[in-house]
Amino acid sequence: LDKNIPYPPDAADSVYGTVDQNFIEAVRAALGSGSESGCETTTQTTTHTLGDTDRVLTSRLARLPYAADAGHQPPRVPDLVVLPDSTAQVASVVKLCFKHKIPITTRGAGTGLEGGAVAYSGGVVCDTKNLTQMTYNSGEKTATVGAGVLKNQLDKVRITNHHAPPA
């Protein structure tokens, strides 16, 4: 680490844009009013609605759990947390971040040990837990899953389709 570069960077020296109310409103608009997520198999489709929870977290208390992962690196509370439920919404948020020069950090379950899910430069954390689309092809024994699908959820679908998970 270069001793001449502050870590994390000082806000005054930052090349990044600022998460302000206008940016937050643009993100809210990009995420829209809600969509559905589901699980599909080749023989039947089950769809469930994620609920009408806020997908843009602005309060410090709501953002605090996103300040660290399971590792030992210093925490950093992000400026904003988004919880998109489609890849189209992720793309919209990424485009907004690019346009406004806001750094974006992707977060899965937050179980990493190296700080990869921590927004050390501030900006937006994109939590992928709502990206739960899953398509399972029992004939080919293949699955296409969203970033928010957990292994035990995939195993449950595989068992339902009579394909035991690997030992």
Side-chain angles (χ1 to χ4, degrees):
L1 187 62
D2 187 338
K3 303 273 188 229
N4 297 321
I5 299 174
Y7 184 78
D10 294 328
D13 298 333
S14 181
V15 296
Y16 299 121
T18 304
V19 175
D20 57 16
Q21 194 59 39
N22 290 333
F23 178 77
I24 292 170
E25 291 307 317
V27 169
R28 285 188 193 281
L31 293 183
S33 61
S35 64
E36 293 181 356
S37 170
C39 172
E40 296 180 34
T41 67
T42 56
T43 56
Q44 72 179 50
T45 301
T46 305
T47 303
H48 59 88
T49 303
L50 293 171
D52 195 22
T53 59
D54 193 6
R55 292 183 302 220
V56 180
L57 307 180
T58 58
S59 76
R60 181 169 174 78
L61 186 60
R63 293 178 288 123
L64 198 55
Y66 294 89
D69 61 9
H72 301 287
Q73 290 73 25
R76 170 64 161 86
V77 179
D79 300 317
L80 188 69
V81 176
V82 297
L83 295 99
D85 57 23
S86 72
T87 55
Q89 290 178 350
V90 172
S92 294
V93 171
V94 169
K95 287 175 185 176
L96 280 169
C97 288
F98 178 78
K99 178 180 176 183
H100 294 276
K101 298 182 180 178
I102 305 290
I104 186 166
T105 304
T106 306
R107 181 183 180 95
T111 57
L113 300 173
E114 299 301 325
V118 179
Y120 287 113
S121 296
V124 174
V125 165
C126 180
D127 186 335
T128 62
K129 72 180 175 186
N130 292 343
L131 300 174
T132 57
Q133 288 285 70
M134 182 183 335
T135 304
Y136 185 78
N137 183 321
S138 59
E140 295 182 16
K141 299 180 186 176
T142 60
T144 304
V145 300
V149 174
L150 303 176
K151 183 183 178 300
N152 61 345
Q153 293 168 319
L154 175 59
D155 287 345
K156 189 175 180 180
V157 170
R158 293 176 64 204
I159 290 168
T160 301
N161 286 281
H162 309 293
H163 296 289

